[in-house]
Amino acid sequence: MMSILMTLVQTAARFMPDAKRDPLIDSHGYVGKPLDRVDGHLKVTGGARFAAEYALDDMVYAEPVFSTISKGKVRRLDTSVAKRCPGVIAVLTPHDMPRLKAPTLVDFSKLDKIAASNLPVFQDDRVYWNGQAVALVVAETHEQAQEAATKVHVEYDIEDSNVSFDANKARATMPKDVLGEPPEIKIGDAEKNLAAAPVRVDAVYRSPYYSHSAIEPHATIAVWEGDDKITVFDSTQFVEGYRNSLAHVFGIKPENIRVLAPFVGGGFGGKAGFWWNTVLAVAAAKIVKRPVKFALSREGVFRIVGGRTIAEQRVAIGATVDGHVQSLIHTGVTATPSHARYAEQCTFPTRHLYATDALHIAQYVVDLDMVANTWMRAPGESIGTFAVESALDELAVELRMDPIDLRRNVEPKRDPTKDNEFSSRHLLEAYERGAAKFGWAARNPQPRSQRDGSWLIGQGVATAYYPVLRLPGAARVRVNADGIATIHTAANEMGMGVATSQLQHAADRLGVPLQCIEFNYGDSEMPSSPMAGGSCQTVSIVASVRAAVEKLHRELLKLEQQDPASPLKRAKYDDIVARDRGLFLASEPSRGATYVDILRRAGKQHVEAEGTSAMPMEMMKYSMASYGAQFCEVRVNDITGEVRIARWLGSFDCGTVLNPKTAMSQLRGGIIMGIGMALTEEVLVDDRSGRIMNASLAEYHVPVNLDVPHIDILFNDIPDPHTPLGAHGIGEIGITGVAAAIANAVYNATGKRIRSLPITLDKLL
Amino acid sequence: MKNFAYTKASTSSEAVNLLESSVGGKFLGGGTNLVDLMRENIEQPDSLVDISSLPLRDIVENPDGSVTIGASAKNSAVAINGPIRQRFPVLSQAILFGGSGQIRNMATVGGNLMQRTRCYYFYDHASLCNKRTPGAGCDAIHGFNRMHAILGTSSHCIAAHPSDMCVALAALDATVEVESRRGKRSIPFVDFHRLPGDTPHLETELQPGELITAVTIPKLEAARRSVYRKVRDRSSYGFALVSIAAILEIVNGTITTARLALGGVAHKPWRAFPAEELLQGNPANDEVFRRAADGALAGAQGFHYNAFKIELAKRVIVSTLSELAQNEGA
């Protein structure tokens, strides 16, 4: 994918002038205020409707039958008993299905379609993973469908499968690319430098298969109108990608498909890939000619939606005795089935974080017969920072150096692999502010030196890292004669507070009170917006809205220029500012007109404009990322090995913070997810069968309230001059560095270095 | 979920009659385990007799010093009951370590005794399980067995009993009062649950048609100084890897009463009688506690993922007894 053309574009981008600095970076309005989320009341009172909560006339319910083998063929599928169960309308097998095109794997140059697996959906009798849907019951009620599904009798011809990571990792191969980036990078001779280095660490770090466990299981309601129009309510985090994927699979024009997702109960990447449940719901609705609701059970989510791959990473660092890094090696093996081909980008943080004389990065994948692995909150960076930030801590121990001092030593002046400028990097400032507030200076670096009864106490720190991504998109802005503005963009809200921060931004951009704007989203018929993923949505929409508002302002100025009575008749776009519900001359603040005024004089009910944001050339010119320092204190029971987190502080360098309240919530959420990743979460795949054995939230242990301490969040709040509003995305960085900070704290408490997640008590006995 | 008939009883005799007249019936208490199992199609009763409204909720202190807890008493009600907290703190603590607030508010004492294992392979229809299908085989023995038993296992089943409350009741030498059309009887708590042997699908001594009406705890002054310690992967809402209910009475440095029961280690709440013998009449010191711990785990067999439980259980026994002894001294 890393074509010559891309290389040329990237090289050219470095010589392009910067885009104009966003003037709102330097103004003070709603942006930056900790406002309550606008849909908070709706959510806590149950007024916010999620995909499965739409009740349509004549709706029927679907329930799948999951395969119990990991590879082979369905030899016999007896649906006769199920079909006779009360309320059953149909028991669908691949033979009943319309012929469908296989979904298209995500293409990072276009990002228009987004399947996590390119297997044809339910088109033949092949079984590719344990848990794959092999039949679908449709019944008048959900309970009837569930009961009938247990009566479907399936026999298989079983074939040999590869489901064990450990048994297969030796045959891992290097993928063609890792998310469009080279799978291997060599600068100097890292192995040679390592062998010659006076101080060395060299270790292997393991992390298991993780599940997103969003609180809302995946759900779809599909309705057909005639043969070529579909409306879908779905729990997706990418309405447009789902529309395009459905259009491709069903061979229908995208404009005839509408995907609605006004509220999504958490996604974390698990609802971005286009999974079988959506296709099956739409196909079933076509076959039974009635609206079909297909809401997955929790088990169903584990069976047919993938998670974060199991991974094994090696990090080796060679350094001088004063902490100059001479060699940095980060290699990793992750798993992916051949129908997903997703190499989780675990080496990405190491490509951009630290200065070193020599560097070796390499990634490998092993194909396993399992459900497609997919993006899960900070894919790559979450497990990558576990490896590299643990190794850095191990080096600090070897050097007898404070780990924060070590990070000062290895802070690069330019991006270590791209050799370009950082757009905005203030990692050390985040460390300093965090260390001061956390009280890091009081920490005793000697393991087992702090104790409270049978509890050993320790502190740890690690770097958080996540790249800045912006994708082009569009928005429509309208001002009405009554002064109310509306914005439409096909955005996705999964709990982050999109509407709140976008209203804050739009109010400042338009110069109107927050109450005078409506923000409409969650509908694929609205102007194109990227997925809520890659921490890109907020900044991408800000850029779209900015483009749309500029166009709107130019339209309004045109009206003014045609009106001899206008105070702005000679004003040019660059002369005006938006404030006090209208447009005013920057040089003569009393001279201007409100939107209501302009529309009244022009005799118009409204003016509307749709704008599209520019290609993200800044991403090619600069090394752009958010950074942070994760501080934690753990308590480890010296008798039982139980690990409990006592306190947490995350200090982040993530540009302008649009809304500190919602931003802190999101970062805390990431940290909590990281605590689960570090201590309790693990999808258990039985090596004998490839079957997930803990497919429930009773047995897949996410943190409970009692596992989560108070979490302090600090922001540098330094705007990035090269992004809209100076902002960065913050959805994913919260989870990065968390597992390493905990492992490092556990070492400080106990003297034991745990390199295999989750850090369960048996590893500390 | 399969359709089922539902009736509600208002007295215990009505309940046993309704059950006898039903085919494939089960009693429904708080439903916190049975309804889950029905949703998973593991339990598939044709009819349910709802016993949640039976007048069996009282907690009564009897003239002989024993306490009788009605089978329909909610777990939460037992945990906060004054006499229970003062006289049998181990029971109150054990209950509060179990489930979540919502579950404890629904779950009944009788139902707690009847809850079934959390073995992954028991819950998964695609796996072999001698509990679900006697004679089918056990996928847990060579599978994920981190949560499983290390004591009293058999080649047919290594499942662990999940209850916390029952561990305390085993230590307290409670009795289970049952009633059926054949009359009433009492079953010693320590005999109530069975080891798997070659019939792991038979989990208790309760006979068909029998209803648990109460649990009686005999008078035991020593139990005022008792403690429940639960070790688990997360701080709440997790089953025990190892738990311990301990009662220790020390007079002039010598152990006069010792009761020890373990949870998370066996197919039943595991009363550690050999350990108690090693404690009884001996000085209360760490060496004695270590010998008792070794005695409690004598014969333990670890499996691939749970061998650590043997060492963990020993450590928890020693530290819990030491803490009790220190408190006693203070």
Side-chain angles (χ1 to χ4, degrees):
Chain A
M1 232 191 305
M2 183 75 181
S3 64
I4 295 167
L5 185 66
M6 281 292 283
T7 313
L8 283 172
V9 170
Q10 289 197 356
T11 309
R14 295 200 182 182
F15 298 101
M16 284 181 56
D18 294 333
K20 204 176 112 191
R21 180 183 166 98
D22 185 348
L24 277 193
I25 291 177
D26 308 305
S27 76
H28 300 281
Y30 289 108
V31 168
K33 293 206 165 51
L35 300 187
D36 290 346
R37 61 178 66 216
V38 293
D39 43 19
H41 185 266
L42 265 186
K43 284 191 171 175
V44 298
T45 55
R49 275 209 280 179
F50 293 78
E53 297 180 314
Y54 288 83
L56 306 187
D57 289 343
D58 216 22
M59 188 162 74
V60 294
Y61 297 80
E63 182 70 15
V65 178
F66 302 115
S67 81
T68 55
I69 65 159
S70 56
K71 192 176 180 184
K73 246 176 87 174
V74 174
R75 180 175 63 235
R76 197 169 85 87
L77 211 150
D78 181 356
T79 60
S80 57
V81 179
K83 277 179 174 156
R84 288 196 303 272
C85 286
V88 170
I89 295 158
V91 181
L92 306 179
T93 71
H95 302 288
D96 304 305
M97 289 286 283
R99 292 306 100 191
L100 303 177
K101 277 193 210 142
T104 311
L105 289 180
V106 61
D107 173 351
F108 284 94
S109 65
K110 282 186 10 216
L111 278 174
D112 60 333
K113 298 185 207 70
I114 191 133
S117 158
N118 63 7
L119 285 176
V121 181
F122 221 53
Q123 295 287 296
D124 56 46
D125 53 9
R126 297 288 314 165
V127 173
Y128 297 90
W129 77 89
N130 195 322
Q132 176 190 318
V134 293
L136 188 75
V137 178
V138 182
E140 296 289 345
T141 73
H142 193 198
E143 291 74 14
Q144 288 170 334
Q146 284 175 316
E147 173 61 12
T150 68
K151 307 292 185 208
V152 175
H153 177 76
V154 192
E155 290 170 22
Y156 302 95
D157 289 327
I158 300 173
E159 296 169 20
D160 287 343
S161 61
N162 295 314
V163 295
S164 162
F165 180 81
D166 284 326
N168 288 282
K169 65 189 179 192
R171 60 175 183 84
T173 55
M174 189 170 277
K176 281 207 284 295
D177 69 284
V178 178
L179 236 66
E181 298 289 333
E184 184 166 36
I185 297 174
K186 281 184 166 175
I187 298 172
D189 189 336
E191 290 292 353
K192 192 175 141 201
N193 281 19
L194 179 70
V199 183
R200 287 188 292 270
V201 295
D202 191 345
V204 171
Y205 301 89
R206 294 267 304 205
S207 51
Y209 178 173
Y210 292 106
S211 158
H212 310 80
S213 304
I215 200 67
E216 175 204 27
H218 297 54
T220 309
I221 294 175
V223 192
W224 285 77
E225 279 173 62
D227 284 336
D228 66 344
K229 271 194 94 170
I230 318 172
T231 302
V232 174
F233 296 88
D234 198 285
S235 57
T236 174
Q237 55 192 87
F238 189 18
V239 286
E240 195 179 318
Y242 270 42
R243 179 198 63 192
N244 295 340
S245 295
L246 281 170
H248 168 78
V249 168
F250 284 86
I252 288 175
K253 285 188 243 157
E255 54 268 33
N256 281 6
I257 301 175
R258 186 175 187 191
V259 178
L260 293 148
F263 290 103
V264 176
F268 313 114
K271 291 169 178 169
F274 178 69
W275 300 97
W276 281 33
N277 57 300
T278 303
V279 178
L280 289 175
V282 173
K286 185 181 173 75
I287 294 166
V288 304
K289 297 187 164 47
R290 288 170 70 176
V292 168
K293 181 198 283 193
F294 183 15
L296 285 181
S297 62
R298 180 61 60 184
E299 181 197 353
V301 177
F302 277 93
R303 298 267 177 256
I304 69 170
V305 178
R308 191 194 304 287
T309 168
I310 190 169
E312 192 171 281
Q313 305 173 66
R314 174 194 175 210
V315 178
I317 314 177
T320 62
V321 289
D322 56 353
H324 172 84
V325 172
Q326 300 168 306
S327 172
L328 178 53
I329 298 167
H330 187 169
T331 62
V333 184
T334 62
T336 192
S338 56
H339 53 90
R341 297 204 296 267
Y342 169 45
E344 180 155 343
Q345 61 273 32
C346 58
T347 59
F348 275 22
T350 308
R351 296 171 189 226
H352 309 290
L353 271 177
Y354 299 124
T356 173
D357 295 345
L359 179 74
H360 183 204
I361 298 282
Q363 279 200 231
Y364 302 87
V365 288
V366 57
D367 62 314
L368 295 180
D369 298 306
M370 62 180 202
V371 63
N373 63 311
T374 194
W375 316 289
M376 176 168 159
R377 207 170 199 166
E381 281 79 9
S382 52
I383 53 175
T385 50
F386 167 61
V388 71
E389 294 301 304
S390 291
L392 222 62
D393 200 70
E394 297 200 43
L395 179 65
V397 170
E398 292 296 318
L399 291 167
R400 298 173 182 279
M401 183 182 275
D402 183 272
I404 299 179
D405 287 338
L406 175 59
R407 274 141 183 120
R408 286 193 187 96
N409 273 1
V410 293
E411 178 69 6
K413 294 195 168 54
R414 292 170 70 80
D415 186 287
T417 49
K418 299 260 181 192
D419 191 32
N420 54 0
E421 254 181 82
F422 295 110
S423 69
S424 175
R425 172 164 168 146
H426 310 279
L427 170 61
L428 295 182
E429 185 165 345
Y431 263 109
E432 275 150 30
R433 290 160 56 89
K437 179 103 193 276
F438 186 79
W440 181 258
R443 169 192 187 250
N444 186 339
Q446 183 63 37
R448 301 184 68 85
S449 60
Q450 304 166 76
R451 181 184 277 275
D452 173 14
S454 57
W455 293 87
L456 296 163
I457 297 169
Q459 295 82 19
V461 73
T463 297
Y465 169 89
Y466 194 79
V468 168
L469 179 65
R470 181 176 73 77
L471 293 172
R476 188 165 64 239
V477 182
R478 169 192 282 208
V479 286
N480 294 295
D482 58 3
I484 300 293
T486 60
I487 294 172
H488 288 82
T489 189
N492 309 278
E493 161 64 18
M494 9 180 234
M496 316 84 95
V498 178
T500 311
S501 56
Q502 292 300 336
L503 281 170
Q504 290 175 263
H505 163 241
D508 285 354
R509 193 69 73 185
L510 287 162
V512 301
L514 201 73
Q515 299 73 21
C516 295
I517 311 181
E518 285 170 20
F519 181 74
N520 302 284
Y521 61 93
D523 182 343
S524 65
E525 301 215 320
M526 295 177 186
S528 170
S529 175
M531 70 173 147
S535 295
C536 80
Q537 182 171 260
T538 298
V539 169
S540 299
I541 296 174
V542 165
S544 310
V545 170
R546 182 186 174 192
V549 170
E550 175 173 343
K551 238 169 127 178
L552 178 89
H553 284 160
R554 288 183 189 276
E555 292 289 320
L556 290 166
L557 263 191
K558 259 189 231 159
L559 295 176
E560 289 298 87
Q561 285 154 359
Q562 289 158 14
D563 181 359
S566 164
L568 296 172
K569 63 177 181 285
R570 270 186 284 277
K572 300 207 170 48
Y573 178 75
D574 288 335
D575 301 337
I576 56 147
V577 289
R579 62 169 171 82
D580 297 326
R581 300 168 190 255
L583 300 176
F584 294 83
L585 282 178
S587 57
E588 206 177 328
S590 61
R591 207 172 166 80
T594 64
Y595 298 128
V596 172
D597 237 12
I598 297 169
L599 290 176
R600 184 176 45 76
R601 280 187 280 103
K604 284 189 175 286
Q605 283 309 302
H606 68 260
V607 174
E608 185 179 273
E610 187 169 322
T612 303
S613 58
M615 288 298 289
M617 302 305 282
E618 68 277 15
M619 283 164 51
M620 297 181 188
K621 182 168 182 178
Y622 293 100
S623 174
M624 301 181 77
S626 290
Y627 308 91
Q630 305 272 21
F631 293 82
C632 75
E633 181 168 299
V634 303
R635 296 164 67 86
V636 183
N637 193 296
D638 201 17
I639 295 158
T640 62
E642 292 158 291
V643 180
R644 302 290 182 252
I645 312 294
R647 60 192 181 106
W648 200 281
L649 184 145
S651 177
F652 294 97
D653 175 47
C654 51
T656 303
V657 175
L658 273 55
N659 179 330
K661 189 170 187 178
T662 53
M664 282 183 191
S665 284
Q666 214 175 353
L667 290 162
R668 287 192 179 109
I671 289 164
I672 293 165
M673 211 163 176
I675 290 173
M677 168 183 166
L679 297 182
T680 53
E681 294 182 40
E682 177 173 16
V683 174
L684 300 173
V685 180
D686 193 312
D687 275 356
R688 298 168 296 180
S689 59
R691 190 158 180 85
I692 293 173
M693 294 315 303
N694 58 340
S696 80
L697 288 188
E699 313 298 347
Y700 180 86
H701 283 180
V702 300
V704 296
N705 277 321
L706 211 50
D707 294 316
V708 180
H710 176 73
I711 298 173
D712 265 333
I713 301 291
L714 300 181
F715 295 115
N716 282 353
D717 212 10
I718 302 169
D720 183 332
H722 304 292
T723 64
L725 291 178
H728 289 180
I730 54 164
E732 325 208 22
I733 189 167
I735 193 175
T736 68
V738 171
I742 292 172
N744 298 344
V746 166
Y747 175 80
N748 181 235
T750 65
K752 286 181 184 154
R753 178 66 64 178
I754 308 300
R755 301 187 183 93
S756 172
L757 300 179
I759 305 173
T760 46
L761 59 86
D762 45 295
K763 294 172 185 169
L764 286 159
L765 281 179
Chain B
M1 192 191 292
K2 189 173 90 169
N3 279 338
F4 55 89
Y6 171 87
T7 50
K8 191 163 186 162
S10 51
T11 64
S12 50
S13 57
E14 189 189 355
V16 294
N17 284 331
L18 281 169
L19 194 77
E20 288 275 326
S21 59
S22 77
V23 179
K26 275 197 170 293
F27 292 125
L28 174 70
T32 56
N33 191 218
L34 178 57
V35 173
D36 275 3
L37 291 167
M38 289 169 67
R39 295 176 71 96
E40 300 284 341
N41 291 304
I42 294 161
E43 296 282 6
Q44 295 186 304
D46 293 308
S47 67
L48 289 181
V49 177
D50 187 343
I51 52 168
S52 60
S53 299
L54 300 191
L56 298 173
R57 290 195 176 203
D58 292 343
I59 302 169
V60 181
E61 288 189 271
N62 302 312
D64 67 353
S66 63
V67 172
T68 299
I69 304 169
S72 300
K74 301 291 188 186
N75 284 188
S76 297
V78 180
I80 62 161
N81 179 271
I84 297 289
R85 288 175 61 177
Q86 285 151 25
R87 297 180 50 196
F88 310 108
V90 64
L91 178 58
S92 173
Q93 290 170 21
I95 290 170
L96 293 176
F97 273 112
S100 64
Q102 293 95 325
I103 289 172
R104 294 191 295 268
N105 286 342
M106 286 300 291
T108 63
V109 167
N112 194 308
L113 268 57
M114 299 305 293
Q115 65 181 302
R116 308 194 66 187
T117 184
R118 306 298 305 197
C119 173
Y120 309 125
Y121 300 89
F122 171 64
Y123 269 82
D124 180 35
H125 290 272
S127 300
L128 301 180
C129 175
N130 287 321
K131 279 183 179 296
R132 270 188 290 106
T133 315
C138 170
D139 272 345
I141 290 174
H142 298 291
F144 289 112
N145 44 38
R146 187 163 183 273
M147 301 302 294
H148 289 64
I150 51 173
L151 286 162
T153 56
S154 77
S155 59
H156 302 276
C157 182
I158 60 169
H161 195 263
S163 171
D164 291 298
M165 187 186 87
C166 290
V167 181
L169 290 174
L172 289 167
D173 256 344
T175 52
V176 184
E177 318 291 343
V178 305
E179 183 179 332
S180 70
R181 289 223 284 213
R182 300 177 294 280
K184 297 182 179 183
R185 66 176 181 129
S186 297
I187 307 170
F189 196 90
V190 291
D191 298 332
F192 183 81
H193 296 95
R194 296 166 56 106
L195 286 177
D198 54 6
T199 53
H201 58 292
L202 301 177
E203 292 166 358
T204 70
E205 291 296 329
L206 208 61
Q207 297 304 307
E210 283 187 323
L211 170 70
I212 301 169
T213 55
V215 171
T216 298
I217 307 172
K219 181 180 173 182
L220 182 67
E221 276 305 305
R224 289 181 188 270
R225 292 162 302 277
S226 59
V227 71
Y228 190 74
R229 171 81 163 98
K230 180 175 183 179
V231 180
R232 51 182 157 179
D233 283 322
R234 57 183 174 188
S235 307
S236 172
Y237 201 57
F239 292 94
L241 290 164
V242 165
S243 69
I244 170 171
I247 300 166
L248 203 60
E249 187 178 59
I250 300 165
V251 177
N252 297 330
T254 300
I255 300 165
T256 51
T257 306
R259 299 274 186 84
L260 208 59
L262 301 174
V265 296
H267 195 257
K268 60 184 287 184
W270 186 264
R271 181 75 179 270
F273 289 113
E276 292 175 12
E277 277 171 32
L278 289 162
L279 292 165
Q280 203 86 29
N282 283 309
N285 61 39
D286 278 3
E287 197 197 319
V288 169
F289 298 153
R290 270 194 292 274
R291 276 211 303 272
D294 289 340
L297 275 299
Q301 182 197 355
F303 296 87
H304 185 72
Y305 291 98
N306 75 352
F308 72 93
K309 282 189 177 186
I310 299 173
E311 169 66 14
L312 178 64
K314 288 182 185 177
R315 290 185 182 198
V316 177
I317 291 170
V318 173
S319 76
T320 305
L321 293 176
S322 311
E323 271 171 45
L324 271 172
Q326 273 165 28
N327 293 344
E328 193 96 334

